[in-house]
Amino acid sequence: MSEQNFSSGPLEYQTEQSRLNILGFWIFLAAELALFSTLFATYAVLSGRTADAPAPFELFEPTSTLIMTFLLLTSSFTCGIAVHEMRNGSKKGLLTWLIVTLLLGFAFLGFEIDEFITYVHEGATLQSSAYWSAFFILAGTHGLHVTLGAGWMILLVIQLMQRGITRVTSRKVFIVSLYWHFLDVVWIFIFTSVYLIGMVM
Amino acid sequence: MEHKTKRIPVKHIIGFILSLALTIVAAWAALGSDLPKGWVITGIMVLAVIQAAIQLFMFMHMTESASGNGHIPWNMMFHGFVIVAIVVAGSLFTMSYGFGHHHNDSPAHQQQHGEHMHD
């Protein structure tokens, strides 16, 4: 690969190092797909195996599930706007939208933690049945990813405040945005195959 | 520095509106409509795949030429999706439909034994 064609494009693609980092992150996302596929497969196979614990349709709340979905969809959108602002060279816009994304992410996590606590009080825990084990591992792994992503984004906001938009920080923002959009993709499938189908059955 | 980026991120806004609309349609199909269950499940899974495509192409810059198209390992992403399909469909096939008829959850079985027979 040669360097000459990239100096006029977006900042995050301008060095060989950055382009290789972004390529490497896509490979990581492909591996994440494999991880989540095993969790989805486990969940699908164990659906209905609730033993003596409550059935999912007794516990799932359409309203809070929809609120969580809209929070995460919106945060994915604001994260996209943040990258857009970065490409316009606006540090202020980038930071503003990243912080909005973070707040939406934390609101999502708040709803998810509250949901898990409610389920545990209703008698559906990690140990209560095969179905609920699969549910908590699948939704919990996604929630853990969101938590890690939020922590990563906080560190990046601090670095952006110190160093501004450079070739290195712009690449980091671009990569965290890929991660965040990916988590939204995973959530769409959890929303559909766990919550919606769980409430239909 | 010269910027080719437009001031208004049209693509993102369209993607966002589409994703909200698809979510609402999926929620309505599952919770508010009287459609047969099989249709609902197939339909909302198709909607989820469309949503994922919106994220990938409208938000994640998958088709961006500014990078020289060198930043996405298409072959590996394709393999990733193939692995997902094999693991999920394969597990469901072998565990739920393939072998072993000792489960109580087949519709014929439930009809025979009435509604209050559960494991």
Side-chain angles (χ1 to χ4, degrees):
Chain A
M1 276 192 260
S2 58
E3 293 285 318
Q4 73 272 23
N5 299 325
F6 298 101
S7 53
S8 62
L11 210 52
E12 61 269 25
Y13 293 131
Q14 282 183 8
T15 66
E16 180 85 39
Q17 170 80 41
S18 291
R19 272 178 281 129
L20 286 175
N21 284 346
I22 293 169
L23 178 94
F25 197 77
W26 277 99
I27 297 172
F28 167 75
L29 289 184
E32 288 278 277
L33 274 179
L35 164 70
F36 277 103
S37 76
T38 61
L39 299 178
F40 273 106
T42 311
Y43 177 85
V45 164
L46 295 174
S47 73
R49 307 277 179 255
T50 48
D52 295 329
F57 64 84
E58 294 171 39
L59 295 188
F60 287 168
E61 286 279 350
T63 325
S64 72
T65 310
L66 270 175
I67 291 172
M68 282 163 80
T69 306
F70 287 133
L71 282 171
L72 213 58
L73 279 178
T74 313
S75 82
S76 183
F77 170 66
T78 57
C79 187
I81 300 293
V83 170
H84 178 82
E85 287 290 329
M86 178 177 80
R87 290 184 169 180
N88 281 333
S90 162
K91 181 182 162 186
K92 197 176 157 229
L94 169 61
L95 284 172
T96 310
W97 288 108
L98 275 184
I99 289 167
V100 172
T101 307
L102 271 171
L103 292 177
L104 289 165
F106 280 122
F108 170 85
L109 283 173
F111 270 92
E112 184 154 64
I113 291 166
D114 180 61
E115 181 196 336
F116 282 7
I117 291 172
T118 312
Y119 291 174
V120 169
H121 283 303
E122 300 281 341
T125 67
L126 197 60
Q127 292 105 317
S128 48
S129 69
Y131 171 82
W132 287 108
S133 299
F135 169 84
F136 280 114
I137 298 291
L138 174 58
T141 305
H142 176 266
L144 184 67
H145 275 75
V146 175
T147 314
L148 286 174
W152 181 4
M153 220 180 264
I154 289 171
L155 294 175
L156 207 47
V157 165
I158 296 169
Q159 197 169 71
L160 280 166
M161 283 171 170
Q162 290 170 342
R163 302 183 194 173
I165 301 172
T166 67
R167 285 180 173 178
V168 175
T169 53
S170 65
R171 176 246 297 164
K172 290 181 178 178
V173 171
F174 188 77
I175 288 177
V176 86
S177 85
L178 290 179
Y179 185 71
W180 202 259
H181 294 313
F182 173 78
L183 293 183
D184 194 45
V185 172
V186 174
W187 178 257
I188 289 163
F189 284 98
I190 294 180
F191 169 69
T192 306
S193 62
V194 175
Y195 289 94
L196 287 185
I197 291 183
M199 287 186 275
V200 170
M201 298 298 252
Chain B
M1 191 196 281
E2 204 62 43
H3 294 295
K4 283 180 182 169
T5 322
K6 282 169 269 169
R7 285 309 301 181
I8 299 169
V10 182
K11 216 175 175 182
H12 285 92
I13 294 169
I14 295 172
F16 182 51
I17 293 169
L18 276 175
S19 61
L20 289 183
L22 288 170
T23 304
I24 292 166
V25 171
W28 170 81
L31 305 171
S33 74
D34 310 323
L35 298 167
K37 274 183 192 176
W39 283 103
V40 170
I41 290 169
T42 317
I44 60 180
M45 288 314 290
V46 170
L47 290 177
V49 172
I50 298 172
Q51 282 242 48
I54 289 174
Q55 293 285 325
L56 287 170
F57 290 102
M58 300 192 114
F59 288 169
M60 291 169 86
H61 310 269
M62 254 182 120
T63 49
E64 196 160 64
S65 58
S67 61
N69 284 326
H71 73 300
I72 295 186
W74 284 102
N75 52 347
M76 288 186 192
M77 292 313 287
F78 177 73
H79 279 107
F81 287 117
V82 171
I83 286 172
V84 173
I86 292 172
V87 169
V88 175
S91 305
L92 264 177
F93 175 71
T94 51
M95 298 301 289
S96 302
Y97 306 115
F99 313 101
H101 297 281
H102 53 278
H103 304 316
N104 286 348
D105 54 359
S106 73
H109 197 93
Q110 277 182 359
Q111 269 180 350
Q112 277 174 4
H113 291 262
E115 284 181 10
H116 34 262
M117 284 289 292
H118 282 292
D119 49 327

